[in-house]
Structures are given as C-alpha cells and as structure tokens.
C-alpha cells in the first residue's frame, strides 16, 4: 500500500501571498489531520477532516483553512502569509480518526519558507 | 489544555547503553499515550502506544508504561544502536485540548544521538 503523499515537498513564498498544500492519504483512510512543526513551537495540531467535514480544529487563526474531497484527499490553505508561517507542514491519515485505537500515518511533510 | 513535557536534549549515548527519555503529561479525562519517532528527512512513525493506565507499549526493543499516578510515560530501551539515532516525540490523544481540538498533543521532541 502506498503511504501518505504530500505535494509539493518544498515551497518558497513571500509575505502576503497565499499557499495551498496537498495531501493524499493511504487508500481507504477517511480521516486526514494536519500539523505544523516549527523549532520554537514544536508540533501543533491544525485540523482534522473526516468524510469531507472538519471535525476538529486547533488554535490557529482563520488564515489557516482546509478541505477534504470525496476521495479523501485533502488540501490546506494559508492566506496572507507571515514570516512565522515558515514551517514543516505534516499530514497524517487514519482509517477512522479515533486516534486512541487507529494509528495515524504521517507523510514526509511540505517545507514552507516565507521570505 | 493538555500538555506534554519531555527532555529536549540532545541526548548522546554510546552504542549498547541503556536509554531513558522522560515524558510527563497534563490532561483531563483518560488520554491515550504515544511515542513517535522521526528520522532525518522523514515524517513521524508510531513507535508504541498505551491506551489505559498500567498498559505497557513495546516495539523494536523500546518500552513505555502508562503511569497514571505519576502522569508519566517514560521511554526505555535496554541496549541502543546507532540506527536508533532520531528525534523521539511523546504525545497524547483523547484529553481535552481546549478549543474543541482533539488531535495529538506532542512534546517538543528529544534528539537522540548514538555514537559507535
């Protein structure tokens, strides 16, 4: 089975621009979560989607948004980029999203640099 | 909200040494606890987990026991190898993260370096 794939792997943007990141989950997985990883704040939960619905959201401003398609693929969007948005963005998929009993499988991440 | 505290390191050990990475947590309810590992240039991989008090998770020679009385989930391995060099994250799920979030809450990560 193919793992979680994320595109692009690297991205450079300038302040004020917007960016869209893509995640393809493992086949059959319906839950997709997004995390931001920075040296200062570590790994922080952004949001989780299940069957095209956002079920949970972390403590991030409204500039961060996402969506999930009927094939479970997910995108996240960051508008009006700030320098502090530079980070590794990780996507994880799970069969049903009950993380206590369903392992999350992580992709390699998208490295976003904001100049 | 929920939080996880772990030693950040780097932790440098010689091959075949005994490893302990401490992890303590704060959470309401009854969280599940996890250890993830991140090798350079890769995403996170689940190493082991425990879903209730006194459970012991184990994998690849690593072990951790869910201690509710001390709110801890320390990672141990009896004899480390150079290939164990990576960043290790302690995490929890199922507690109250606040703001309606229910994803994984991670510690800052411990960079482990094993020297031959």
């Amino acid at each position: 089975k193919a793992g979680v794939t994320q595109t692009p792997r690297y991205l450079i943007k300038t302040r004020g621009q917007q960016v869209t990141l893509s995640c393809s989950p493992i086949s059959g997985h319906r839950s997709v979560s997004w995390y931001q990883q920075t040296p200062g704040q570590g790994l922080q939960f952004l949001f989780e989607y299940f069957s095209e619905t956002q079920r949970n959201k972390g403590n991030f401003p409204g500039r961060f948004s996402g969506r999930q398609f009927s094939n479970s693929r997910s995108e996240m969007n960051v508008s009006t980029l700030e320098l502090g948005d530079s980070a590794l963005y990780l996507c994880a998929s799970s069969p049903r999203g009950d993380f206590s009993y369903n392992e999350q499988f992580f992709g390699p991440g998208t490295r976003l640099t904001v100049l | 909200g929920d939080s996880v505290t772990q030693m950040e390191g780097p932790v440098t050990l010689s091959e075949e040494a005994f490893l302990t990475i401490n992890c303590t947590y704060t959470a309401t309810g009854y969280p599940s606890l996890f250890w993830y590992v991140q090798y350079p240039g890769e995403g996170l991989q689940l190493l082991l987990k425990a879903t209730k008090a006194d459970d012991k998770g184990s994998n690849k020679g690593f072990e951790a026991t869910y201690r509710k009385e001390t709110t801890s989930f320390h990672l141990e391995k009896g004899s480390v190898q150079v290939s164990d060099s990576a960043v290790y994250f302690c995490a929890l799920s199922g507690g109250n993260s606040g703001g309606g979030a229910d994803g994984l809450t991670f510690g800052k990560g411990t960079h482990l370096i094993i020297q031959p």
Side-chain angles (χ1 to χ4, degrees):
Chain A
K1 236 182 199 181
V4 178
T5 58
Q6 293 186 244
T7 55
R9 291 293 309 277
Y10 301 91
L11 206 48
I12 299 175
K13 293 285 187 179
T14 56
R15 280 180 297 174
Q17 287 187 310
Q18 75 163 17
V19 67
T20 299
L21 312 182
S22 180
C23 171
S24 293
I26 291 172
S27 177
H29 286 192
R30 296 168 64 189
S31 168
V32 173
S33 297
W34 288 89
Y35 294 84
Q36 181 195 65
Q37 186 177 20
T38 60
Q41 299 299 316
L43 276 154
Q44 293 184 286
F45 171 69
L46 279 156
F47 28 64
E48 186 249 354
Y49 286 86
F50 182 82
S51 292
E52 302 178 65
T53 300
Q54 185 184 90
R55 294 198 299 189
N56 297 298
K57 183 172 167 49
N59 190 25
F60 278 82
R63 299 185 298 107
F64 292 81
S65 63
R67 59 178 175 169
Q68 187 180 34
F69 301 95
S70 59
N71 62 358
S72 293
R73 190 176 69 84
S74 177
E75 290 181 345
M76 69 162 281
N77 185 77
V78 187
S79 62
T80 319
L81 284 166
E82 301 176 0
L83 295 178
D85 297 333
S86 294
L88 181 67
Y89 290 88
L90 293 167
C91 166
S93 78
S94 174
R96 286 185 299 279
D98 178 350
F99 307 134
S100 299
Y101 300 99
N102 291 275
E103 179 179 346
Q104 284 196 93
F105 294 84
F106 283 80
T110 293
R111 172 76 63 185
L112 172 64
T113 302
V114 182
L115 303 176
Chain B
D2 299 342
S3 66
V4 175
T5 302
Q6 62 179 110
M7 51 203 295
E8 294 187 34
V11 173
T12 304
L13 296 173
S14 297
E15 205 166 21
E16 298 184 4
F18 184 87
L19 168 71
T20 299
I21 301 177
N22 290 337
C23 170
T24 57
Y25 67 90
T26 301
T28 56
Y30 302 94
S32 294
L33 302 174
F34 307 83
W35 277 101
Y36 279 83
V37 58
Q38 186 175 33
Y39 297 101
E42 298 183 15
L44 278 71
Q45 300 174 26
L46 178 64
L47 182 59
L48 53 84
K49 70 177 183 183
T51 59
K52 61 183 187 298
D54 299 326
D55 266 2
K56 178 187 282 189
S58 61
N59 186 26
K60 299 181 181 179
F62 291 90
E63 291 183 340
T65 301
Y66 189 165
R67 303 285 189 200
K68 190 169 175 61
E69 64 277 12
T70 55
T71 62
S72 65
F73 193 55
H74 304 322
L75 182 68
E76 297 182 336
K77 186 176 185 183
S79 177
V80 293
Q81 306 300 313
V82 171
S83 58
D84 294 327
S85 298
V87 181
Y88 292 80
F89 293 90
C90 185
L92 68 82
S93 173
N96 179 11
S97 299
D102 193 31
L104 290 171
T105 299
F106 286 91
K108 290 289 182 72
T110 301
H111 186 193
L112 176 65
I113 301 169
I114 307 300
Q115 296 178 332

